[in-house]
Amino acid sequence: MSLKKKPLKSKPVCKVTFTLAKEQAKGAANVHLVGEFNDWEIGATAMRKQKDGAFTATVDLPTGREYQFRYLIDGDVWISDPEADKYAFSPFGDCENSVVTV
């Protein structure tokens, strides 16, 4: 898994590409990126499966803040990103959310 950040020069936005590696996806049929940037809407941001079995999604995020997120595999399994900028405790599910800082 990884986060790639590409700040735009023309406006205060950063293009963030979220990647869930094939090993983490564990043969998933679909993966969704769920977080503060899409109001935790489960189906809002579907990730695209790549030829190598990884899943990716690119989101434009306003700069100057942090966003919590997680990955939802096949509508059933929630996982955090081990390469996130940091983590924040979530009272929902008694787990840690991944955090990206832009």
Side-chain angles (χ1 to χ4, degrees):
M1 288 183 249
S2 69
L3 302 172
K4 292 185 182 175
K5 303 173 191 176
K6 184 178 179 185
L8 299 182
K9 294 178 183 178
S10 60
K11 51 186 170 179
V13 171
C14 185
K15 285 190 172 291
V16 181
T17 299
F18 297 82
T19 302
L20 180 66
K22 175 183 178 179
E23 299 76 31
Q24 296 292 328
K26 300 177 184 173
N30 61 68
V31 177
H32 286 85
L33 174 62
V34 186
E36 291 179 312
F37 41 79
N38 59 17
D39 294 323
W40 295 98
E41 181 63 40
I42 291 173
T45 309
M47 299 181 77
R48 280 188 253 178
K49 190 169 189 176
Q50 306 300 304
K51 290 180 182 180
D52 66 359
F55 286 82
T56 64
T58 301
V59 180
D60 290 353
L61 299 176
T63 58
R65 64 168 289 203
E66 298 177 335
Y67 300 89
Q68 294 186 32
F69 71 96
R70 294 194 83 200
Y71 301 107
L72 179 59
I73 299 173
D74 290 334
D76 185 47
V77 178
W78 291 94
I79 63 170
S80 296
D81 190 326
E83 295 181 25
D85 295 331
K86 64 182 190 177
Y87 302 93
F89 177 77
S90 171
F92 302 101
D94 193 27
C95 62
E96 285 190 328
N97 290 331
S98 302
V99 177
V100 60
T101 304
V102 293

